[in-house]
Amino acid sequence: MTRVVTVGPTGVSPADVIAVARQDARVEIDPTAFEAMAASRSVVDEIEREGRPVYGVSTGFGALADTPIPPERRVELQHALIRSHAAGAGAPMPREVVRAMMLLRARSLACGRSGVRPSIAQSLVDLLNHDITPWVPEHGSLGASGDLAPLAHCALVLLGEGWVLGKDGSRRPARQVLEEAGLSPVTLAAKEGLALINGTDGMLGMLLLALSDAAHLFTMADLTAALAIQAMLGSDRP
């Protein structure tokens, strides 16, 4: 029976991450998470209606934080943010790392503090459940600012752009893979591009996978040492 990992406002466990990353567990979003995301999205919608200057919603980013963005260009801004940050380099990250990263980003959004529509988190979950792994180059994270480049490559696939990692390690066009899976590209609203890439889910995913490997290696080291001593007729008295 396929394991199901439920993502909700309370987060997920390390075992959940390993199950999705390595064992292809199915992912579902808790109904309470949909409610939390809808509530936080209503705050963003209210900001837009009022026309207040709020970073990343009605203004630019970074040095352009004081630059107002007119309502008709805010969707374009979010898409441009994703495209401009999808600038990694090198070989693709392992499939398990990308799956862990996507689950953790969905979990962050499901906490209901990011101001995104519930459909955005569901789109990430749909990629996981359809075994669609974005092609994410291994070099490019900014560290202190979060895994902006890796997460942008994941978000790019949601837009129907970028590349997907094929079963044989090849690179396939994202839009074609989405169509084959019966999925449609998303159109981002205000704040959503920012929410998709501001986080440390890449490095956290790698850490959890490394901890799982380390626990296994420590157990194997104990067993190997015990068997070696037994084979050599050693004694525990010394």
Side-chain angles (χ1 to χ4, degrees), residues 2 22 57 67 87 93 103 114 141 143 155 158 162 166 181 193 195 205 210 212 220 229:
T2 303
R22 291 179 167 166
V57 178
T67 302
M93 286 185 180
L103 175 68
S114 301
S141 176
L158 294 180
S212 177
M220 291 300 101
I229 293 173

Side-chain angles (χ1 to χ4, degrees), residues 8-224:
T10 56
V12 294
S13 69
D16 290 334
V17 177
I18 300 303
V20 172
R22 291 179 167 166
Q23 300 158 19
D24 296 339
R26 182 173 179 79
V27 183
E28 294 179 352
I29 298 179
D30 190 288
T32 59
F34 285 114
E35 295 171 4
M37 287 185 281
S40 69
R41 181 64 206 180
S42 68
V43 175
V44 177
D45 292 338
E46 182 63 24
I47 290 170
E48 286 216 275
R49 283 192 294 270
E50 294 176 356
R52 288 190 285 126
V54 174
Y55 181 82
V57 178
S58 52
T59 75
F61 313 106
L64 300 177
D66 295 328
T67 302
I69 307 298
E72 65 273 13
R73 301 205 66 186
R74 289 172 188 169
V75 169
E76 178 187 353
L77 175 70
Q78 299 301 316
H79 286 241
L81 178 70
I82 299 300
R83 292 172 184 139
S84 64
H85 282 75
M93 286 185 180
R95 174 178 177 271
E96 61 180 22
V97 171
V98 179
R99 286 182 62 82
M101 179 163 49
M102 287 195 295
L103 175 68
L104 290 167
R105 180 80 321 227
R107 158 257 185 196
S108 295
L109 299 181
C111 288
R113 297 289 185 270
S114 301
V116 303
R117 293 167 295 166
S119 59
I120 299 300
Q122 184 61 57
S123 295
L124 281 172
V125 169
D126 288 341
L127 292 187
L128 289 167
N129 290 339
H130 283 84
D131 195 15
I132 297 175
T133 305
W135 175 285
V136 180
E138 62 183 351
H139 302 301
S141 176
L142 296 183
S145 295
D147 296 311
L148 300 181
L151 286 168
H153 280 279
C154 290
L156 202 61
V157 171
L158 294 180
L159 307 183
E161 302 176 20
W163 304 93
V164 168
L165 183 65
K167 304 295 184 186
D168 57 356
S170 62
R171 198 167 65 169
R172 302 188 61 204
R175 184 172 291 272
Q176 177 184 338
V177 175
L178 290 180
E179 289 176 355
E180 291 173 357
L183 301 175
S184 300
V186 303
T187 298
L188 300 176
K191 177 71 168 60
E192 291 179 338
L194 193 64
L196 280 168
I197 67 173
N198 254 81
T200 55
D201 307 289
M203 60 184 83
L204 177 56
M206 292 180 194
L207 173 62
L208 293 173
L209 291 166
L211 287 173
S212 177
D213 290 341
H216 176 73
L217 289 173
F218 283 136
T219 300
M220 291 300 101
D222 285 344
L223 289 172
T224 301

